[in-house]
Amino acid sequence: MLFRFFRLILVLALVALAPHSFGAMAQGLGQAPAGLVADQQKILQGLTTKTDALEKKVQEDGLDDTTLVEIRLQLEELSRAALNSALAFRSRLGEINSRLEQLGAPPAAGQPPEPDIVTGERQALASEKAEINAVIAGAQNLSIRINALIEKIGNMRSELFRSGLTKRYVLSDALSPQVFSDARDEYANFYRAVSSWLSFAFKFKFQAMLAATLMALALAVVLLVGGRRLFGRIFEPDASVEDPTYLSRLSVAFWSTLLPTLAVSAFLASTVFLYNYYNVLRGDIGVFLNALAAVIAIVFCVNRLTNAALSPSMPNWRLIQVETGPARWLVRLTTAMAVVIGINNFLSIVNDKMGSPLSLTVARSFVATVIVGVILILMALLKPYKDADGRWRPWPAWLRYTCVALGLFTIAAALFGYIGLAIFVSLQVVVTGTILLTAYIGFLSAREIGEEGGFAGTSIGRWLKTNSSYEDTALDQLGLVVSVAINLMIVLVFLPLILLMWGFQPGDIQAWGYKLATGVTVGSVTISVTGILTGIVVFIIGYFLTRWFQGWLDGSVMARGKVDTGVRNSIRLAVGYAGVALAGLVGISAAGIDLSNLALVAGALSLGIGFGLQNVVSNFVSGLILLAERPFKVGDWIVAGDTSGTVKKISVRATEIETFQRQSVILPNSNLINNAVGNWTHRNKLGRVEIKVGVAYGSDVKRVHAVLLEIARGHALVLKNPEPFVLFTNFGPAALEFEIRVFLADVLNGAIVQNDIRFAVLDAFDAEHIEIPSTPRAEVKVKKTDAWPIDDDKIEVEFAEKEQAKARAAAEAKRLAKTGRKARKPDPS
């Protein structure tokens, strides 16, 4: 209530100070958007008119699949235009809603009335919002209508495709003698059309036609000669190689099919384009020439593929290990099947353009499908293999029965009058089979190249290994990249071709490509492939720019400025992390991802940090502190607990220390921040080392002191200032103990100095007859035990002697007992 009162006072004050300005503002609020609404209404009216015209065209030309595709593309553009018209009001609606929130709700009954200008502004904004909502509703309704029409076109095309395959023709009319007369008349008409065009072209367009033909030939020569120069070893089999590898055979088969086919296709396409550019072609001849170019390209591709896979003249380069004779027959039969299908398609276009009788079209298609079926059966009946005893063997059962079934199905469909289905199956067997086989060989080649050591075994890999510094590991990684690139190229090239062969139009592929590029909606999430690829490319560019800037800053700027190594490392790391982070943010923005949508992810991440990532965050912050404070730098000799060594790398998570045994120790940064760390080379490398020496009691200690001091002063690495000194440290239990203390400019040389001084002490004490005592050791007598007997024969002999002695003694005692005499005692001597 108090807030409303203060707001009312503020509004009255502004009205009193500037009455005209509010009027102008209210007028502007009412006038400025009025033009926008009128413009969008006019745009929507134009879109509605175009939609009506296209809907009428759908009803008139609903039997032509190509026309339906073109209409669908135009409708999709109209739908996008309608949605863009609705989106044009987004910013204005935001402004209106924000202003209405500022004005608040009208005062309730019993409350002080608000100024008229506030009421008028609210009403003007509400009226404008209603007009905008009406325009948006109209745009949405138009978009819904267009989408319904697009769906109707899709259903019509599906029905056309099904009816074309399932339509049954009466063969009695198609096989009547009248067909031969119609064919003769059709040929005469076609001959007159082509001859009249040729006479016109040679009389009036000869120079243009000659120039176009020569340019197309020049392009073909450049492609073929250049391709042979660059890729000759890739797509040309080498007759001198007796046992080529499987990868070599795959690569030759794939590239010897793809590259020449592309070259021939480019030549044919450039010929047609240049003839059209120079106005050499007329309407019907242009259609005929396009159809003829397509037939030539298909037949050439089929012939190249079969020759590459079967290689009749070079058995060692053969992918399918069949005998040479059957290989030649397979090439001939496959090429003949492609020629039959190509001629049939060309004649179908001629018949459509010239309005031929239906019976002639049916008869032509019937003959073509029967020929294709017979060829398939002949190919299945071939016996391409030989046993060890010379007997011929047929194809595997599954392949033989599949070919026979396709051939019989094609012939049966033609005999029963389903000409459209028979032609469709024949076309898929030839064209789709060729495309799939070529793509399969390409996938196999890519897989072999991606294997370990596969790329290094290719001609390009061997050339790179000879003429560059690539190692085997780098070549394997490059082979993986090449393998992925080949797979991607195969998908991009062959998938559209397969779709075209299965009844789809170029407009369908164009529409799908546009949807894939602009965004695919899955639920409430829109995924844009183009945006994602753009983001990845932007990030990669930013990453490499960061690395280049790091190298330039470190190698050129800081190196020339004699900047300390530790400072250079800290600056280089900071620039690297900042550059990568910036490249990541720019890449995310380029991908079309709203960073505000990551707020939930950030919240969850902070929760995870609080529970499970404490050590990671602690090490990260400690790394930043180390880079900023620089208690040690790269190259310093530090002691951290039980670890002593040289700092090799400082990152934001851990620090790498190389011990003097060349062991790399990775210490978390939090350990280096929270615990004591000794740095021998923090500000400089000046340091002191000690050498302990003991002499025997009774030695001249003053002479010992002088000798030791002379040795310390005489070493080349010992500093004169601070001066070295010798300390008499203790009366030890076995020796008089001295300690030499010397200062070095580089404490890293301490081990060398200690070693030299100890050798010098030994030599000097030997010359001065000064004894270095050693602690006496207690003598331990080892009790000798009898060795364990190892000679079994000796033991047996001794045992036998003892037994014999006992036996003699017993016999002697028995004898004495019989005689009554006593045994004589042994002599005590």
Side-chain angles (χ1 to χ4, degrees):
M1 202 57 191
L2 184 61
F3 174 74
R4 287 180 177 273
F5 178 72
F6 280 116
R7 188 177 64 184
L8 179 60
I9 293 176
L10 179 60
V11 170
L12 291 175
L14 292 175
V15 170
L17 291 174
H20 300 289
S21 60
F22 270 98
M25 182 187 300
Q27 184 180 7
L29 289 171
Q31 291 176 354
L36 179 62
V37 171
D39 292 341
Q40 296 303 322
Q41 287 177 343
K42 186 177 180 180
I43 291 174
L44 288 177
Q45 290 176 359
L47 295 177
T48 304
T49 303
K50 292 180 180 179
T51 304
D52 295 337
L54 290 176
E55 186 174 9
K56 183 178 179 181
K57 192 175 181 181
V58 168
Q59 297 174 357
E60 295 175 352
D61 301 332
L63 299 179
D64 188 1
D65 187 68
T66 305
T67 304
L68 290 177
V69 173
E70 294 176 356
I71 294 174
R72 194 192 71 177
L73 291 176
Q74 297 178 22
L75 288 173
E76 289 179 349
E77 292 180 0
L78 295 179
S79 178
R80 289 192 291 269
L83 292 178
N84 291 333
S85 179
L87 293 176
F89 296 102
R90 177 183 293 178
S91 60
R92 182 57 189 162
L93 279 177
E95 295 174 1
I96 292 174
N97 292 329
S98 177
R99 183 59 181 160
L100 288 175
E101 289 179 3
Q102 293 176 2
L103 294 176
Q111 292 184 349
E114 62 182 1
D116 294 338
I117 191 170
V118 176
T119 304
E121 183 181 354
R122 184 184 292 107
Q123 292 176 355
L125 291 173
S127 176
E128 180 187 345
K129 185 176 180 180
E131 292 180 358
I132 291 176
N133 288 333
V135 177
I136 292 176
Q140 291 175 346
N141 292 333
L142 180 60
S143 178
I144 293 172
R145 178 190 172 191
I146 292 174
N147 290 332
L149 193 56
I150 291 174
E151 185 176 358
K152 179 182 177 181
I153 290 175
N155 295 331
M156 293 175 64
R157 293 185 61 210
S158 300
E159 183 62 28
L160 282 175
F161 183 73
R162 286 194 298 269
S163 63
L165 293 181
T166 58
K167 186 176 180 179
R168 189 169 182 270
Y169 297 92
V170 180
L171 294 181
S172 58
D173 297 336
L175 301 179
S176 63
Q178 183 64 29
V179 173
F180 296 98
S181 177
D182 294 338
R184 190 165 48 251
D185 296 339
E186 189 73 14
Y187 172 75
N189 294 331
F190 177 72
Y191 178 77
R192 283 195 298 270
V194 174
S195 60
S196 63
W197 170 75
L198 285 175
S199 61
F200 166 79
F202 278 107
K203 286 182 181 179
F204 302 101
K205 296 288 185 178
F206 177 75
Q207 293 182 351
M209 189 168 66
L210 181 61
T213 305
L214 290 177
M215 282 191 286
L217 285 175
L219 177 61
V221 170
V222 169
L223 289 175
L224 291 177
V225 175
R228 290 182 183 277
R229 292 282 183 141
L230 293 176
F231 307 106
R233 295 183 179 179
I234 297 179
F235 69 81
E236 288 184 351
D238 189 356
S240 61
V241 179
E242 296 182 357
D243 188 17
T245 62
Y246 182 60
L247 175 60
S248 299
R249 287 182 286 151
L250 283 173
S251 300
V252 167
F254 177 68
W255 295 108
S256 64
T257 301
L258 183 61
L259 293 178
T261 302
L262 290 177
V264 171
S265 301
F267 163 69
L268 296 172
S270 61
T271 302
V272 175
F273 171 78
L274 292 172
Y275 278 12
N276 283 317
Y277 180 78
Y278 288 112
N279 296 321
V280 176
L281 299 176
R282 68 187 187 201
D284 55 347
I285 300 300
V287 175
F288 298 158
L289 190 59
N290 278 321
L292 182 61
V295 169
I296 293 174
I298 292 174
V299 173
F300 180 82
C301 179
V302 172
N303 182 263
R304 289 293 301 185
L305 177 62
T306 52
N307 273 288
L310 299 173
S311 187
S313 58
M314 294 184 184
N316 51 338
W317 286 92
R318 195 170 293 162
L319 272 181
I320 304 173
Q321 298 302 320
V322 297
E323 296 298 323
T324 301
R328 290 196 177 97
W329 273 109
L330 285 172
V331 172
R332 294 166 187 165
L333 291 174
T334 307
T335 306
M337 189 162 49
V339 170
V340 171
I341 291 296
I343 292 176
N344 178 68
N345 288 341
F346 174 73
L347 293 179
S348 67
I349 294 175
V350 172
N351 293 338
D352 291 341
K353 192 66 178 177
M354 303 188 69
S356 303
L358 180 61
S359 59
L360 182 61
T361 303
V362 174
R364 168 186 48 77
S365 301
F366 174 80
V367 173
T369 52
V370 170
I371 293 175
V372 170
V374 171
I375 291 176
L376 282 173
I377 295 174
L378 291 177
M379 292 172 65
L381 296 178
L382 276 177
K383 294 182 177 181
Y385 305 111
K386 265 188 179 181
D387 286 333
D389 54 359
R391 290 184 302 176
W392 291 96
R393 288 190 300 109
W395 295 105
W398 66 270
L399 181 59
R400 185 169 69 253
Y401 293 148
T402 300
C403 291
V404 171
L406 286 174
L408 292 176
F409 178 81
T410 304
I411 296 173
L415 290 174
F416 282 105
Y418 295 100
I419 303 299
L421 180 60
I423 285 293
F424 180 78
V425 173
S426 302
L427 186 64
Q428 303 315 315
V429 168
V430 176
V431 182
T432 306
T434 301
I435 294 173
L436 289 177
L437 183 57
T438 306
Y440 181 66
I441 294 174
F443 283 130
L444 290 178
S445 301
R447 188 181 67 180
E448 291 295 323
I449 290 174
E451 294 291 337
E452 184 176 359
F455 183 72
T458 62
S459 57
I460 297 177
R462 291 192 296 269
W463 183 85
L464 287 175
K465 192 172 183 179
T466 305
N467 298 278
S468 66
S469 59
Y470 284 109
E471 298 180 353
D472 292 339
T473 304
L475 288 176
D476 282 339
Q477 295 174 351
L478 186 59
L480 290 176
V481 175
V482 173
S483 175
V484 173
I486 292 175
N487 287 324
L488 184 62
M489 183 196 69
I490 292 171
V491 172
L492 294 178
V493 171
F494 291 98
L495 182 59
L497 294 177
I498 295 174
L499 293 176
L500 291 175
M501 291 301 103
W502 280 83
F504 295 96
Q505 297 290 338
D508 297 323
I509 302 174
Q510 179 183 349
W512 294 337
Y514 182 83
K515 288 182 180 179
L516 190 64
T518 55
V520 178
T521 301
V522 180
S524 59
V525 179
T526 301
I527 302 173
S528 174
V529 177
T530 303
I532 293 174
L533 293 177
T534 303
I536 293 174
V537 170
V538 169
F539 174 76
I540 292 174
I541 293 174
Y543 177 81
F544 282 107
L545 284 177
T546 300
R547 291 292 180 243
W548 170 81
F549 182 73
Q550 275 184 293
W552 175 78
L553 184 65
D554 183 42
S556 298
V557 178
M558 293 189 291
R560 293 181 181 180
K562 306 299 182 182
V563 180
D564 183 73
T565 305
V567 178
R568 288 170 56 182
N569 179 70
S570 299
I571 294 175
R572 185 175 65 252
L573 288 176
V575 169
Y577 288 125
V580 171
L582 182 61
L585 292 175
V586 175
I588 292 174
S589 300
I593 301 174
D594 189 1
L595 296 178
S596 61
N597 294 332
L598 301 178
L600 182 61
V601 178
L605 184 61
S606 62
L607 186 63
I609 289 172
F611 284 100
L613 301 178
Q614 295 176 350
N615 292 334
V616 175
V617 175
S618 175
N619 291 326
F620 179 79
V621 175
S622 300
L624 296 179
I625 294 173
L626 290 176
L627 292 174
E629 290 187 355
R630 296 177 57 247
F632 53 81
K633 58 186 179 296
V634 173
D636 283 357
W637 174 16
I638 67 171
V639 179
D642 297 334
T643 303
S644 176
T646 305
V647 178
K648 288 296 181 182
K649 182 181 179 182
I650 304 173
S651 61
V652 293
R653 192 198 67 83
T655 297
E656 180 184 347
I657 299 174
E658 185 181 28
T659 65
F660 297 108
Q661 291 81 23
R662 291 296 186 268
Q663 180 190 24
S664 294
V665 180
I666 310 300
L667 289 179
N669 288 330
S670 58
N671 293 355
L672 300 175
I673 290 292
N674 299 326
N675 300 322
V677 177
N679 190 345
W680 283 92
T681 57
H682 180 43
R683 304 194 184 281
N684 52 55
K685 294 184 178 181
L686 178 65
R688 191 187 76 182
V689 295
E690 298 85 17
I691 303 99
K692 294 182 178 181
V693 180
V695 297
Y697 277 93
S699 302
D700 186 354
V701 294
K702 292 185 178 180
R703 180 57 185 163
V704 171
H705 183 275
V707 170
L708 294 178
L709 188 60
E710 182 180 359
I711 293 173
R713 290 173 176 172
H715 199 282
L717 297 179
V718 174
L719 295 177
K720 301 298 186 289
N721 186 20
E723 186 179 4
F725 64 94
V726 177
L727 186 65
F728 188 0
T729 58
N730 191 23
F731 294 96
L736 302 173
E737 298 177 358
F738 290 82
E739 186 175 273
I740 305 174
R741 299 179 178 179
V742 295
F743 291 88
L744 307 178
D746 188 353
V747 73
L748 298 177
N749 295 325
I752 299 174
V753 173
Q754 289 175 331
N755 188 63
D756 294 343
I757 289 179
R758 289 190 180 102
F759 277 112
V761 167
L762 287 176
D763 293 341
F765 280 10
D766 184 59
E768 296 288 339
H769 303 291
I770 300 174
E771 182 182 356
I772 299 177
S774 61
T775 304
R777 300 178 180 177
E779 184 178 355
V780 179
K781 293 183 179 180
V782 181
K783 182 180 179 181
K784 294 184 179 180
T785 58
D786 295 337
W788 188 264
I790 59 174
D791 192 348
D792 294 338
D793 295 336
K794 182 179 179 181
I795 294 173
E796 291 177 359
V797 170
E798 291 178 352
F799 179 78
E801 290 177 353
K802 288 181 181 179
E803 292 295 324
Q804 291 175 1
K806 288 180 181 179
R808 286 196 297 269
E812 181 68 18
K814 185 185 251 186
R815 186 181 64 79
L816 292 175
K818 288 180 179 181
T819 58
R821 298 173 59 183
K822 294 182 179 179
R824 189 170 57 182
K825 295 181 180 181
D827 191 356
S829 61

